[in-house]
Amino acid sequence: MPATLRRDRTRRAPLLAALAATLLLVMTACSSGGADAGGESAGVEADSAGTVADAGASEQAADGAAVAESAAEPGAAAAREIVTTGSATVVADDPSAAATRLARLVEEAGGRIERRSETAATDDSPGSASITARLPSDRMTGAVEALGSLGTVESVDVDSTDVTGEGQDLDARIAALTTSTDRLRDLMKSAGSTEDLLQVEQELSERQAELDALTAQRQRLSDQVAMSTLDVEIVPEPVAAAQSRGGFLGGLASGWGALVTTVQTVVLVLGVLLPWLALGGLGYLGYRWLRGRARPGAGGDSSDGPDDDADGPDAPRPASPDEAPEPVPAGR
């Protein structure tokens, strides 16, 4: 029995060795496959990470561009050129005093008064005042709000005009003309003949005149952008109330005003003519006096000599003998 067992074990040993080798190869193949699969999964993960990183970078770049654009927008808005003009009507009890206070407020805000007009009150019409002020563009809103301290603000109208395109066009034309004039000056230095020099000078003169005109126009536009214009009308009563006055009382007031105006005109004409009338009267009196002095025998003595015409041309003369009347017959 022991010898038989030894032979069986001897026969099984090669089979066990072959099975062990097969199992070892299978395990090796599985481990290598798992490693390859892990490498592939790692590659996929790396590729995914790279894609995500690229996408994140693109999003960051897009965000950065958006931030840059949003940051550039305020600068672009600040570069816009706006001309602001406004007009307002203020009701105040004393228009002249309100106008003086408004002028003081404008000067304190760094502006200036371009026009000021005041009308004194009369018996038939109230006084009024009007002011045209130039203010820094950033003080326009504050100035309009300050009008409420002068009286009751009846109406306000503010208008803004974008002149950025016009300013850019003027800047481009000025730059082109500046370059052209500089080039013409260089040509003047290298002119070969007097004829060429005169031609270049004429062209330079024309370009320089056009450049000066554009420069003045640009300065005016810049001044309008920097300094806003505000027209303020100050009245003692609302405009609607003044326009609604009518009926019998309105007609009576208008008739009285016309009568007063007519009397004032007549008095004015008499005042103008009175010196001339006095001078004419003195001249007439002098003429009568001189005429009385020049009349014959006006101041002489009648005893100095016979005066045939003393009795006048119609005095009766004595009849001559030849002109005696014939006797009338008794029978008649």
Side-chain angles (χ1 to χ4, degrees):
M1 291 293 297
T4 305
L5 292 172
R6 288 192 199 98
R7 285 194 296 268
D8 294 336
R9 291 178 178 173
T10 303
R11 293 175 182 174
R12 292 176 180 175
L15 294 175
L16 293 174
L19 290 174
T22 302
L23 290 175
L24 180 62
L25 291 175
V26 170
M27 291 177 62
T28 302
C30 290
S31 61
S32 62
D36 293 336
E40 290 177 358
S41 61
V44 171
E45 291 177 356
D47 293 338
S48 301
T51 304
V52 171
D54 293 339
S58 300
E59 291 178 357
Q60 290 180 355
D63 293 339
V67 171
E69 290 178 358
S70 63
E73 286 178 359
R80 308 298 294 179
E81 293 183 297
I82 308 296
V83 174
T84 305
T85 57
S87 61
T89 301
V90 180
V91 179
D93 295 335
D94 190 352
S96 179
T100 301
R101 187 176 179 184
L102 177 59
R104 189 180 303 112
L105 291 176
V106 170
E107 293 176 357
E108 291 176 356
R112 65 179 185 271
I113 301 297
E114 283 197 345
R115 185 185 63 85
R116 179 174 178 176
S117 176
E118 295 183 15
T119 302
T122 59
D123 295 336
D124 56 343
S125 63
S128 62
S130 62
I131 286 181
T132 299
R134 298 295 303 279
L135 294 161
S137 57
D138 56 348
R139 302 289 182 88
M140 184 67 169
T141 304
V144 172
E145 294 176 353
L147 293 177
S149 62
L150 304 177
T152 303
V153 179
E154 187 177 22
S155 64
V156 175
D157 184 15
V158 179
D159 184 20
S160 298
T161 304
D162 191 344
V163 294
T164 305
E166 183 178 355
Q168 292 176 352
D169 179 65
L170 288 173
D171 292 338
R173 294 172 63 184
I174 289 173
L177 282 175
T178 301
T179 303
S180 178
T181 53
D182 293 340
R183 189 177 302 167
L184 288 174
R185 289 189 180 93
D186 294 338
L187 290 176
M188 287 179 60
K189 297 177 182 179
S190 60
S193 62
T194 305
E195 183 179 358
D196 294 341
L197 180 61
L198 292 176
Q199 185 177 359
V200 172
E201 284 183 350
Q202 182 179 0
E203 187 69 21
L204 178 60
S205 177
E206 294 176 357
R207 299 287 178 85
Q208 187 65 42
E210 186 177 359
L211 177 60
D212 294 341
L214 291 177
T215 302
Q217 185 177 352
R218 185 65 173 106
Q219 290 176 353
R220 288 193 299 270
L221 184 63
S222 300
D223 180 70
Q224 292 176 357
V225 172
M227 302 290 288
S228 301
T229 303
L230 178 62
D231 293 323
V232 181
E233 190 76 18
I234 306 175
V235 294
E237 62 179 348
V239 177
Q243 292 178 352
S244 63
R245 289 185 302 178
F248 175 76
L249 294 179
L252 183 61
S254 300
W256 177 257
L259 178 61
V260 171
T261 303
T262 303
V263 171
Q264 291 177 351
T265 303
V266 171
V267 171
L268 177 62
V269 172
L270 289 177
V272 173
L273 294 179
L274 186 59
W276 297 97
L277 293 176
L279 182 61
L282 291 176
Y284 179 73
L285 292 176
Y287 168 74
R288 293 295 302 269
W289 182 76
L290 292 176
R291 184 178 179 183
R293 289 289 303 270
R295 182 180 297 173
D301 191 1
S302 59
S303 62
D304 292 341
D307 189 359
D308 295 336
D309 297 334
D311 295 333
D314 297 333
R317 294 180 295 176
S320 60
D322 297 335
E323 296 178 354
E326 298 180 356
V328 180
R332 293 185 180 178

